Amino acid sequence: EYARKHPFRMDHSGYKNPKPNLEGSRIIENISLKEVVSYINWAAFLAAWKLPVKYASVDSPDVLKEEGRMKAKEALSLMDDARQLLEQWMKEGKEDLKAIIGFYPVLRENECLVIQGKTIPLLRQQEKREDDQYKSLADFIHPEGDYIGLFVVTAGENTYSADCGCGSSHKEDDYQEILEHALRDRLVEAATEYIHERVRKEYWGYAPDEAFSPGELLKSPYKGSRPASGYPIHPDLSFNFLIDELLDMERIQVKLT
């Protein structure tokens, strides 16, 4: 109650959020791996394996002569295996990358968003703050009406498995299975970056002349943001089920547990 009485104050006067070029949802199927590969954050890929991220931009084994470290050898070998797997998927014409995006008018009621008649509760910061202002994502929605975008992206499910007949799925090669899983994680993030760029330039269309390289996009220099449920900005995972009601994720074979 105290946080509600001391909210973050944003001046919305003089600002009108541009209407999206697309209203409602759209399925984006068969996202090209070749288009998405350049958006992969290889530093995050190495971090998932607890390997030094400084080797993410190294393309030559000459670094081994300079470093002479086991970690460098492991990192370069892992990157090589990942790139080979990507090449294999591209040759096979894999079409696992899919997304659903949706754009809707949104109203704000306290810390709640109202979209298509559905009330989506958000949170407000509740730890004591020096500035005595407590933020909610709802504060960034224009109080007189606004627009919001929602999305889900998938890179498909792991396929490297074997059935021994005992009723459980066992992996023939743990390394290969983990490699595929880690690579799909990165492809989801890369496809998300790629789709968000298309949203800004095309589907919402508020920044048609934006021109950032994939490397620059990692620093989020663009106008807009894409907060995700489950992260500190919005830790309540139940938000995903409300998004599912709007986007119907099973249309791209995504099912929430």
Side-chain angles (χ1 to χ4, degrees):
E1 194 61 32
Y2 182 88
R4 272 189 161 178
K5 291 178 179 177
H6 297 78
F8 174 67
R9 303 290 183 185
M10 177 175 279
D11 182 10
H12 290 277
S13 62
Y15 178 75
K16 185 177 181 181
N17 202 357
K19 183 178 180 180
N21 292 329
L22 168 69
E23 194 162 320
S25 68
R26 174 180 291 185
I27 298 174
I28 305 175
E29 293 188 282
N30 306 332
I31 300 170
S32 169
L33 272 175
K34 290 182 180 179
E35 287 189 67
V36 167
V37 163
S38 63
Y39 294 80
I40 292 177
N41 183 347
W42 290 108
F45 175 77
L46 289 181
W49 293 77
K50 302 196 184 318
L51 289 169
V53 300
K54 64 181 179 179
Y55 301 119
S57 58
V58 174
D59 295 318
S60 170
D62 291 342
V63 69
L64 297 180
K65 298 175 184 177
E66 301 170 11
E67 299 277 351
R69 296 176 184 168
M70 185 61 70
K71 289 290 185 184
K73 186 175 181 180
E74 290 177 7
L76 292 174
S77 175
L78 178 64
M79 294 276 289
D80 187 53
D81 289 346
R83 286 180 174 131
Q84 285 186 38
L85 185 55
L86 271 176
E87 286 292 331
Q88 177 186 325
W89 286 349
M90 284 189 278
K91 285 179 182 177
E92 293 173 355
K94 275 192 172 291
E95 298 179 343
D96 293 342
L97 285 174
K98 301 175 184 178
I100 304 176
I101 57 175
F103 303 94
Y104 307 93
V106 57
L107 296 173
R108 183 176 104 191
E109 293 180 1
N110 293 320
E111 287 79 42
C112 293
L113 305 182
V114 181
I115 307 172
Q116 301 285 88
K118 299 182 186 299
T119 299
I120 299 179
L122 301 177
L123 298 172
R124 186 168 294 284
Q125 291 172 319
Q126 294 176 44
E127 291 183 352
K128 183 65 179 173
R129 296 180 57 81
E130 287 185 13
D131 61 7
D132 207 32
Q133 290 190 34
Y134 302 86
K135 295 185 180 73
S136 168
L137 283 176
D139 298 331
F140 297 86
I141 300 296
H142 200 295
E144 296 177 7
D146 215 327
Y147 295 95
I148 192 168
L150 304 171
F151 74 96
V152 57
V153 178
T154 178
E157 61 182 346
N158 280 8
T159 57
Y160 198 92
S161 61
D163 189 350
C164 68
C166 69
S168 298
S169 180
H170 296 284
K171 305 305 177 186
E172 290 182 324
D173 185 329
D174 286 342
Y175 170 72
Q176 191 68 22
E177 194 275 334
I178 295 169
L179 176 65
E180 181 174 334
H181 184 85
L183 194 53
R184 287 185 189 276
D185 279 350
R186 286 300 98 212
L187 283 172
V188 164
E189 295 290 350
T192 299
E193 196 75 77
Y194 166 76
I195 290 294
H196 191 194
E197 182 180 52
R198 289 187 64 186
V199 163
R200 297 189 301 272
K201 299 170 75 172
E202 178 184 348
Y203 294 120
W204 197 319
Y206 60 79
D209 299 323
E210 180 188 288
F212 296 111
S213 70
E216 290 172 329
L217 290 177
L218 294 176
K219 299 177 182 178
S220 303
Y222 44 75
K223 184 178 181 181
S225 66
R226 56 172 193 275
S229 56
Y231 288 82
I233 196 167
H234 187 66
D236 182 5
L237 278 168
S238 67
F239 190 22
N240 288 343
F241 292 89
L242 292 164
I243 296 175
D244 191 16
E245 289 180 23
L246 290 161
L247 297 183
D248 188 9
M249 299 179 187
E250 288 202 47
R251 292 187 290 165
I252 56 170
Q253 294 79 54
V254 172
K255 185 175 181 180
L256 297 177
T257 61

